[in-house]
Amino acid sequence: MQVYRIFRMKDAPRQQFRWAPHTSGVSLLKPRDFEPAGEVEADGVYAAWSALQASPDELRIGDVLENPTAELRIYKYVGFEEAQWVVPEVKSGFDGAPVVAAGSPPSMVPGTV
């Protein structure tokens, strides 16, 4: 048996997810749209779904299960499909800043006097 971590989709993103058209392929998930919600021990994702059925912790559309090897499966109307976290690109704050060669005299730097 494996231990699956449960991630619950927050309410606002869940409403958008529920009404969005179904797409096949890997679902890209934003970590900010989910909250950790415990664990369940099961032989597979459908066994986990079955074990949680009719309990207060039952899985809802948009919830995610993560296995011990960090593979994600999102619960959709058609069953479980592959998913992965999308990590936002970190911006340095220097995007669009002029490039200046090291040792350039200050008079050659744009925007300086």
Side-chain angles (χ1 to χ4, degrees):
M1 286 194 149
Q2 298 182 50
V3 175
Y4 289 89
R5 292 177 57 196
I6 302 168
F7 293 91
R8 301 269 182 216
M9 186 178 276
K10 294 179 182 176
D11 289 334
R14 186 184 308 275
Q15 293 308 315
Q16 293 174 345
F17 183 79
R18 288 177 58 94
W19 297 107
H22 173 73
T23 58
S24 59
V26 178
S27 296
L28 302 177
L29 310 175
K30 298 176 185 173
R32 69 173 187 220
D33 291 342
F34 294 84
E35 297 174 334
E39 298 178 338
V40 61
E41 190 173 334
D43 289 327
V45 291
Y46 289 99
W49 172 81
S50 180
L52 294 171
Q53 207 57 14
S55 78
D57 297 327
E58 74 178 329
L59 295 176
R60 296 182 302 245
I61 300 299
D63 289 344
V64 173
L65 293 176
E66 178 184 43
N67 71 12
T69 61
E71 293 174 350
L72 301 176
R73 297 290 183 260
I74 187 166
Y75 179 43
K76 294 184 172 184
Y77 289 107
V78 296
F80 287 93
E81 292 193 352
E82 187 178 353
Q84 64 182 345
W85 298 121
V86 174
V87 179
E89 183 179 320
V90 177
K91 296 187 178 181
S92 65
F94 293 107
D95 300 342
V99 178
V100 178
S104 297
S107 62
M108 296 185 72
V109 177
T112 61
V113 180

